[in-house]
Amino acid sequence: METSIPASEQTSCGKEDPRVCCFEDTGGAEAVQVADCENPEDSRPQEEPGCCNPENSGQLMASYEGKAKGYLVPPFGWRICLAHEFAEKRKPFDANNISLSNMIKLVGVGFRYFQWWYQKTRVEKKTPFIDMLNSVPLRQIYGCPLGGIGGGTITRGWRGQFCRWQLNPGMYQHQTVIADQFTVCLRREGQTVYQQVLSLERPSVLRSWNWGLCGFFAFYHALYPRAWTVYQLPGQNVTLTCRQITPILPHDYQDSSLPVGVFVWDVENEGDEALDVSIMFTMRNGLGGRDDAPGGLWNEPFCLERDGETVQGLLLHHPTPPNPYTMAMAARLTADTTVTHITAFDPDSTGQQVWQDLLQDGQLDSPAGRSTPSQKGVGIAGAVCVAAKLPPRGRCCLEFSLAWDMPRIVFGAKGQVYYRRYTRFFGQDGSAAPALSHYALCRYADWEERISAWQSPILEDRSLPAWYKSALFNELYFLADGGTVWLEVPEDALTEEPEGGMRQLRPMLREYGRFGYLEGQEYRMYNTYDVHFYASFALIMLWPKLELSLQYDMALATLKEDLTPRRYLMSGLTAPVKRRNVIPHDIGDPDDEPWLRVNAYVIHDTADWKDLNLKFVLQVYRDYYLTGDQGFLRDMWPVCLAVMESEMEFDKDHDGLIENGGYADQTYDGWVTTGPSAYCGGLWLAAVAVMVQMATLCEAQDIQEKFSSILSRGKEAYERLLWNGRYYNYDSSSQPQSRSIMSDQCAGQWFLRACGLGEGDTEVFPTPHVVRALQTIFEFNVQAFAGGAMGAVNGMQPHGVPDTSSVQSDEVWVGVVYGLAATMIQEGLTSKGFWTAEGCYRTVWERLGLAFQTPEAYCQQRVFRSLAYMRPLSIWAMQLALQQQQSRKASRPVVELNTGPKARPKGATANLSPE
């Protein structure tokens, strides 16, 4: 039976020009205004190059030929037609992208890395924490991940495929599981008239199914933690809107931890005939890989009635060690719906049985009892179907949930046993999947109300550009999908009495658990602290107790040592894994034993890094400033003293300013810094200034005087050695790159202003110098780079070309750019800040197709590096800066100097020589 529309009856696939709208640039400290436009995606300043070019605005929907707008799809977010193809296909950064001059510098580390990689992969049979030889390839497919914080995540791509899995903590599987699909069946007058898998795939398995949905009549819209997929079914007068909901709820420490997602299907009948509609949800038990191969997987139906609400579905039991789990695919049973199921079918067969079962009457057979366990090498899948009657011009709602229960986990070393946070509320015995499903289907409406209450003030603020609203919320995906774990901390886990007291340590970790997220999905280290410095704004603003918990864990690790010798790959020298009274680089590798063994990073000996200790001090004070938690401040005070004492060793000439060591000894771990530097010197002065404030709060007069003296001397040295009249030099060495314009040179000032300091009596860096430096960065690193449309390059030479002295200086780091934009907003350069940040958003989300995998870095051409990275969460620093700006407006005006970015004539050469 033909169940799809004949090709001759389908609407043509012609392309229509998208409507383009632009936002107004007020040209000053006032935030950018958004025009009242139908398509809010298009929001560049009108004088910006390429403003009304579809390549820069609205091109993601250029292929859409449908007329359907969907049911209650919001105006703001990231929207893309399912037929869209990204023209640019970049590759991951590898050795072929390194210049000859830099290759020569890196020969030694390259050789040592290969030796280490061989030992790790071939001898130990483990996966490297950074695999430079096998980067994750480009797949321009990802959408909003499902799952709360710390319970694992499943990503459903924007074309509808389930394609990225993080169930085992911190470990990713990037594969599309073909059987995991939604299928629609429409029946009129007792006959099936349309049955279609809602997927563009055309696989070699399940060939009896009707694949190959026409993507020109469907679009995807993401505003994390929700997403909408709208399908206009050609010739049927029916529109489907699938709404995906995950409980990401700021300041909620219960529901935000749940490993669940909800799919709500709103079906609109726009015709004059009654209609029976069914949505079938199919899912494979496992991913079809080596974890499934031994067999022993089995499915069973379940029905849970509680508080007058009934949920029915299937449990997919996956008992494979070391982290067994149960997946639950379920649906809500109402007076207007029917829920049926197929317990088991072969996902590698033609799928004829399932397809014909649905085709026959829009329902499934619903056999009783559990399936037989799968045989070795044989797959098993299940299906759940919801059906309802739809009157002419009517609408119905079909509700599904997906939940997974992996309560007990071990990391790669298979040592310590942990329980996930959600088990506090749903139990630890592995039987929670039905209850999770029931809870999700009964509570999602409340979740949506709370999500709207959180997001609406920002979405409705017409002073904010539309792209920013999309970026601000969608970049939050990483808090859940960053290999994130949120673990219970048992009483006996904290037996040692930490030095200096820390009275709130045990209560904090017991009440709020232990939180960890990866530096990146490809850079597999938990709570990488030099990067968390940027990303932490999202955590402290939305889940502040998790930020404080992380800080207590970092303080504990700081006071410990691990004197095991290790050979570091960059230098080839041997040094201890961890020294006492220095901040660790990270809290460990999920393929090993994080928290018990820290510092998975083996490139540098980070005990000699100049930024880690300073970033701890700055974050402690910022966290105190934003939470008002005096107990936290007093607990951290002895640790801050200890790490600052360690840091003072780097001030070799005792002029109040630390010196870098002539290698890449900070977060830019491939960019050599020698002597006093703008970045680390600025962080040092900001940390010293914060110590002065903390000493006053902790009533330590002698310490306050000590750091006040250091600050006075250090400020003079910093200005004398680094300020050149236009910006702060990269460093004070005699190397050619010493006069490079570093986009991140004002990081110290950024954090001071975030802490309510850095001006008036607490000024550290002269305000005219800061503003002038930011304007110089905007002129050179932003406008003179890639036509001003790709954000800020890390380093720019004063004659207007990128600094290519290292593999990182000519990269754009997205998270750094968002931090830079926040700094510009803090100093009143608001329109410049938005322009700068917009370049990154447009490049990543619209041009390169890297949605929900924002990388650490990209170059002007050809490559990107480290997909799905922590640092871009720093966009929440922009939001903090905007909020602080609003609170200041009542007391004093904010003025932007040289208002309004000036477009550089094509072909003009920037020049910033000292003369």
Side-chain angles (χ1 to χ4, degrees), residues 719-758:
E719 296 296 323
R720 172 171 47 83
L721 295 171
L722 296 167
W723 180 250
N724 65 21
R726 298 287 297 277
Y727 61 95
Y728 291 99
N729 288 337
Y730 177 70
D731 64 24
S732 58
S733 71
S734 58
Q735 298 298 317
Q737 71 268 21
S738 68
R739 292 192 62 83
S740 285
I741 308 162
M742 186 188 198
S743 65
D744 210 5
Q745 63 185 267
C746 296
Q749 175 69 1
W750 168 38
F751 249 75
L752 285 177
R753 292 297 290 266
C755 296
L757 306 172

Side-chain angles (χ1 to χ4, degrees), residues 723 728 746 749 765-775 823 827:
W723 180 250
Y728 291 99
C746 296
Q749 175 69 1
F765 310 95
T767 298
H769 288 188
V770 172
V771 173
R772 187 65 178 274
L774 292 172
Q775 290 174 326
T823 314
E827 302 301 329

